[in-house]
């Protein structure tokens, strides 16, 4: 049975069970691969107490308003769990004793106004929730604090993941903080050095496998059945629970008035599943009165969900052989496709794809706003432009983009874009000329005042008006 936490006055933590997303089987424990013992599909965490209270306006016997004010008050506390932008919302998380919480003060990420990008996309109001401002630079930390804490509580010595880089960086950090060893499986040559270097620094046993992400994940699923390692990919439903708090925090930042649209990148599809779960739970608990449409954007070269919905009506997964410069979402066989497809249906969201050039352009536009993000995050703005053109996002509607990773996660992409050789030798090379206004290549000069002044004057004449 899950551990019970020490309750605070008036607020009870939530007991939970594992629920199969396909056959509905309920259980108190799971096998190491986090698959349903009956049908083999994915599990999610469910909260039976909420069902008992009819999922009206009460979570664990507390009203929605009580929850909102409890969460607000915790912002004044200096207890580690309250300083975490994840555990601050612990009533909507599986219950865990405080002593087991492994936290790096994750969450608490900013919501930025994006007026320039709004103009570019043609919407009146655009904001970006920047999950790249988390301790290891990506949205993964919100899920990792919960999954690592439960692994710590269960006494695991080794935790492991397959990754395109961010999961591994995050898991390695949380393992180190929780006194656990970490095993990282990444595709050789297909993740950025920044992310790889994080895993090394945080002490992970890092294996670069001669395969792609999907091959790494397949191998991990076999490994956890053979070796005493605990898997922390987003198949692990505790990860999804932590990632839910992104949406809870967003609604709190918006004074519980949901935007019309939330747009998120799609890779292995854990994050979109988590945001959707949070939105549905918040609506059912009376924390918000209506659902935003949650839309998922993929890279054209890694568009398994787009194809699954368009060509198979969302009934079976169409895997693809993934190829994109956004290495974070270079995934062809997304594990959580079924959860994501359901979330799209439940919220009425869209699923779109964008080209490599559209993504590169959007990344530079976000950067020019002083925000910056990694390439995978930029698919959100590129996708928004398409959804506006299609009339799916309507005049006057409010939109929030979820930026998933920090600009510094993939400096090679940024440098190559600005130097102009990002797509050198590829079919996209000629399209790059259209983006020359966005490029700011570094200039090498002799170290004289004249040279710098001349360069400044020239730039001043040619600078685009802001
Ligand atoms: N954006 C970034 C920066 C990512 O690192 C990922 C996934 C995604 C978007 C897609 O999120 O998989 O939940 O749909 N990165 C994983 C990793 C796969 O291993 O770091 P998703």
């Amino acid at each position: 049975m899950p551990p019970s936490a020490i309750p605070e006055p008036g607020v009870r933590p939530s007991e939970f069970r594992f629920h199969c997303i396909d056959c509905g089987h309920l259980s108190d424990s799971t096998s190491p691969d986090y698959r349903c013992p009956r049908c083999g599909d994915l599990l999610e965490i469910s909260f039976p107490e909420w069902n008992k209270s009819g999922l009206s306006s009460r979570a664990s016997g507390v009203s929605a308003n009580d929850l909102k004010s409890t969460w607000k008050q915790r912002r004044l506390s200096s207890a580690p769990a309250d300083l975490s932008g994840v555990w601050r919302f612990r009533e909507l998380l599986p219950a865990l004793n405080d002593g087991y919480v492994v936290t790096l003060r994750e969450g608490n990420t900013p919501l930025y106004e994006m007026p320039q990008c709004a103009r570019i996309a043609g919407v009146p109001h655009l904001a970006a929730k920047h999950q790249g401002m988390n301790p290891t630079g990506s949205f993964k930390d919100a899920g990792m604090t919960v999954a690592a804490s439960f692994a710590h509580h269960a006494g695991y010595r080794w935790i492991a993941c397959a990754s395109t880089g961010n999961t591994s960086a995050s898991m390695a950090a949380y393992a180190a903080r929780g006194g656990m060893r970490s095993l990282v499986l990444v595709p050789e040559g297909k993740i950025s050095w920044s992310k790889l270097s994080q895993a090394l620094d945080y002490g992970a046993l890092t294996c670069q496998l001669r395969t792609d992400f999907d091959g790494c994940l397949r191998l991990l699923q076999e490994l956890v059945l053979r070796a005493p390692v605990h898997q922390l990919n987003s198949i692990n439903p505790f990860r999804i629970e932590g990632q839910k708090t992104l949406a809870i925090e967003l609604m709190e930042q918006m004074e519980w008035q949901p935007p019309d649209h939330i747009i998120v990148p799609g890779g292995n599809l854990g994050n979109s599943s988590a945001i959707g779960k949070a939105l549905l739970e918040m609506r059912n608990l009376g924390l918000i009165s209506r659902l935003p449409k949650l839309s998922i954007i993929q890279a054209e070269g890694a568009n398994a969900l787009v194809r699954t919905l368009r060509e198979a009506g969302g009934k079976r997964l169409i895997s693809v052989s993934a190829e994109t410069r956004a290495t974070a979402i270079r995934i062809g066989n997304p594990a959580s496709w079924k959860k994501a497809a359901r979330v799209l249906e439940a919220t009425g969201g869209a699923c779109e794809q964008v080209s490599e050039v559209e993504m590169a352009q959007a990344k530079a536009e976000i950067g020019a706003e002083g925000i910056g993000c990694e390439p995978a995050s930029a698919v959100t703005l590129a996708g928004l432009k398409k959804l506006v053109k299609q009339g799916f996002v309507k005049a006057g509607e409010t939109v929030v983009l979820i930026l998933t990773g920090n600009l510094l996660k993939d400096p090679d992409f940024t440098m190559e874009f600005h130097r102009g050789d990002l797509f050198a030798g590829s079919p996209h090379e000629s399209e790059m000329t259209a983006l020359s206004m966005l490029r700011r290549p570094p200039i090498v000069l002799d170290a004289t005042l004249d040279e710098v002044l001349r360069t400044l004057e020239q730039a001043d004449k040619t600078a685009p008006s802001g």
Side-chain angles (χ1 to χ4, degrees):
M1 227 1 225
S4 49
I6 300 158
E8 288 179 29
V11 176
R12 280 191 296 130
S14 294
E15 297 297 336
F16 63 94
R17 303 189 80 191
F18 299 100
H19 172 253
C20 171
I21 63 162
D22 196 55
C23 73
H25 179 67
L26 274 173
S27 61
D28 290 333
S29 59
T30 63
S31 56
D33 60 355
Y34 283 109
R35 296 258 170 201
C36 173
R38 277 209 202 141
C39 73
D41 216 322
L42 296 188
L43 303 174
E44 66 178 5
I45 284 174
S46 70
F47 299 95
E49 274 183 58
W50 299 2
N51 292 323
K52 263 188 263 156
S53 62
L55 286 181
S56 57
S57 60
R58 300 177 76 74
S60 306
V62 188
S63 78
N65 282 339
D66 288 345
L67 286 172
K68 288 177 189 175
S69 67
T70 300
W71 295 336
K72 201 169 194 175
Q73 274 164 24
R74 282 188 189 143
R75 289 214 217 118
L76 303 172
S77 158
S78 54
D82 293 341
L83 288 170
S84 161
V86 171
W87 293 101
R88 192 157 67 81
F89 302 105
R90 52 191 169 272
E91 287 72 21
L92 301 200
L93 299 177
L96 178 76
N97 274 334
D98 256 9
Y100 291 98
V101 168
V102 182
T103 173
L104 284 162
R105 316 290 184 263
E106 53 290 318
N108 301 312
T109 57
L111 181 64
Y112 294 120
E113 294 298 320
M114 304 287 282
Q116 275 171 228
C117 290
R119 255 195 314 277
I120 292 168
V123 291
H125 188 249
L126 179 64
K129 177 129 179 90
H130 206 328
Q131 291 299 98
M133 299 301 183
N134 267 296
T136 76
S138 86
F139 73 100
K140 304 289 182 180
D141 296 341
M144 207 54 77
T145 180
V146 175
S149 297
F150 274 89
H152 178 50
H153 175 266
Y156 290 109
R157 197 166 116 75
W158 280 91
I159 56 179
C161 71
S163 183
T164 57
N166 280 326
T167 300
S168 50
S170 181
M171 185 194 70
Y174 283 85
R177 296 298 295 176
M180 294 172 281
R181 306 275 318 266
S182 61
L183 168 69
V184 159
L185 305 181
V186 291
E188 194 211 1
K190 297 293 180 190
I191 79 165
S192 87
W193 290 112
S194 309
K195 299 172 189 178
L196 190 64
S197 62
Q198 285 182 287
L200 304 181
D201 227 34
Y202 302 140
L205 171 61
T206 304
C207 303
Q208 297 180 273
L209 304 188
R210 291 188 199 94
T211 178
D212 55 12
F213 167 82
D214 303 294
C216 292
L217 188 56
R218 237 181 345 261
L219 199 141
L220 179 71
Q221 292 271 286
E222 287 169 30
L223 182 75
V224 294
L225 299 174
R226 297 272 299 273
V229 298
H230 186 63
Q231 82 99 347
L232 262 75
N233 275 95
S234 54
I235 292 171
N236 179 324
F238 292 107
R239 283 270 314 278
I240 301 294
E241 291 304 301
Q243 277 167 221
K244 281 187 337 193
T245 58
L246 172 176
I248 306 171
E249 188 177 79
L250 171 63
M251 293 305 136
E252 187 187 54
Q253 286 167 316
M254 299 186 81
E255 308 286 349
W256 304 100
Q257 298 302 317
D260 297 299
H261 296 271
I262 297 177
I263 302 184
V264 66
N268 211 22
L269 300 173
N271 204 28
S272 37
S273 305
I275 296 170
K277 187 171 192 277
L279 293 174
L280 292 165
E281 288 176 355
M282 281 190 285
R283 201 261 320 262
N284 292 341
L285 292 166
L287 288 159
I288 53 174
S289 55
R290 65 185 177 84
L291 285 177
K293 291 189 169 76
L294 180 67
S295 293
I296 301 174
I297 314 295
Q298 297 196 296
E300 259 173 23
N303 60 354
L305 185 66
V306 174
R307 291 194 56 189
T308 293
L309 297 172
R310 290 184 190 170
E311 296 166 35
K315 297 278 185 282
R316 68 185 161 84
L317 176 66
I318 298 186
S319 305
V320 299
S321 174
E323 199 46 81
T324 169
R325 280 299 305 260
T327 52
I329 50 174
R330 192 175 176 275
I331 295 170
N333 194 24
S336 295
W337 70 273
K338 221 182 253 182
K339 288 185 181 179
R342 286 181 189 175
V343 154
L344 287 177
E345 201 181 335
T347 69
C351 185
E352 248 313 332
Q353 57 187 353
V354 297
S355 73
E356 295 292 293
V357 175
E358 288 167 333
M359 173 178 65
Q361 175 173 356
K363 182 173 128 51
E365 289 164 346
I366 293 167
E369 186 115 33
I371 302 298
C373 63
E374 69 165 288
S377 308
V379 300
T380 53
L381 178 61
L384 170 63
K385 293 182 204 172
K386 285 197 155 172
L387 297 179
V388 170
K389 282 206 186 92
Q390 292 163 7
F392 181 79
V393 173
K394 299 193 177 57
E397 289 190 323
T398 50
V399 183
V400 175
L401 307 179
I402 307 299
L403 302 182
T404 44
N406 196 288
L407 170 74
L408 300 175
K409 283 285 194 171
D410 194 348
D412 285 352
F413 185 102
T414 309
M415 289 304 295
E416 287 175 35
F417 175 85
H418 288 287
R419 285 197 187 121
D421 49 11
L422 182 61
F423 298 120
S426 87
H428 309 296
E429 194 166 2
S430 59
E431 297 167 65
M432 270 302 277
T433 42
L435 305 187
S436 56
M437 284 295 284
L438 284 167
R439 286 179 36 228
R440 300 280 177 273
I443 304 160
V444 180
L445 299 175
D446 286 333
T448 67
L449 191 57
D450 277 355
E451 284 272 282
V452 177
L453 279 173
R454 203 169 32 249
T455 308
L456 182 65
E457 277 162 23
Q458 211 176 336
D460 198 42
K461 274 185 228 137
T462 58
S465 57

